[in-house]
Amino acid sequence: MAWVPPTVAEFKAYFTRDFPYAPAGANTNCDYVMDSDIQKAIDQTNINFNDELGMTGNEAKIAFLFLAAFYLVVDIQMAQRGLGSQAMFPVQSKGVGSVSVSFQIPERYTKDPQVCYYSQNQYGQKYLSLVFPYMTGNVRVVEGTTTFD
């Protein structure tokens, strides 16, 4: 059976507590997450999502939803910043006055630009935690032959 991505309704049902969805009849109110915002995130997820990682249908659906939530959060943050939006990579340390905090970002995250990008919010990090087990050691055998002239 061909992969069918989740719908806006499935996204909202899965993330019932995570986002302030627009009330019925107010789906153009930018104070809320609108169906068009969710559909845009689903469309973006379709570009990067690999449904051939060997996950079951439900596993793939959950991973897809977390990646869509990642894109939704990034899009909303960019929209709120408008022309002042800036790309930021994960920060290893911050300090204000005499107070500072630092943490170690795993090398697996810092060495891969795509993984580093997904690490900027918790939805992306959750997506990575769901797909990393399927990204290690996958081998697919394809039947075929070669001919030599």
Side-chain angles (χ1 to χ4, degrees):
M1 187 165 110
W3 164 253
V4 177
T7 63
V8 170
E10 289 174 304
F11 182 96
K12 291 167 95 171
Y14 193 81
F15 294 110
T16 56
R17 298 174 50 112
D18 296 58
F19 301 101
Y21 300 115
N27 212 19
T28 58
N29 187 337
C30 290
D31 292 334
Y32 298 98
V33 174
M34 300 178 290
D35 288 356
S36 60
D37 297 324
I38 299 168
Q39 186 59 55
K40 182 169 73 170
I42 289 171
D43 293 343
Q44 293 168 359
T45 303
N46 266 324
I47 295 169
N48 286 330
F49 188 73
N50 182 357
D51 63 332
E52 296 288 327
L53 286 177
M55 295 181 272
T56 66
N58 196 49
E59 291 168 343
K61 179 180 174 181
I62 291 169
F64 185 99
L65 288 168
F66 272 98
L67 186 55
F70 165 80
Y71 281 116
L72 178 63
V73 169
V74 169
D75 288 346
I76 290 171
Q77 289 172 339
M78 286 189 318
Q80 289 173 339
R81 293 181 188 128
L83 296 175
S85 67
Q86 299 177 17
M88 293 185 348
F89 289 99
V91 178
Q92 289 186 350
S93 64
K94 287 184 178 184
V96 176
S98 63
V99 178
S100 66
V101 64
S102 63
F103 53 93
Q104 180 65 36
I105 299 171
E107 189 173 304
R108 181 176 193 175
Y109 290 73
T110 59
K111 296 285 186 190
D112 184 323
Q114 190 70 33
V115 171
C116 188
Y117 180 68
Y118 290 148
S119 299
Q120 64 182 300
N121 70 43
Q122 290 180 320
Y123 294 101
Q125 291 173 353
K126 181 73 171 256
Y127 165 73
L128 290 173
S129 76
L130 294 170
V131 299
F132 268 160
Y134 296 96
M135 295 171 56
T136 305
N138 288 330
V139 176
R140 194 169 289 244
V141 178
V142 178
E143 184 178 336
T145 62
T146 59
T147 57
F148 298 100
D149 293 335

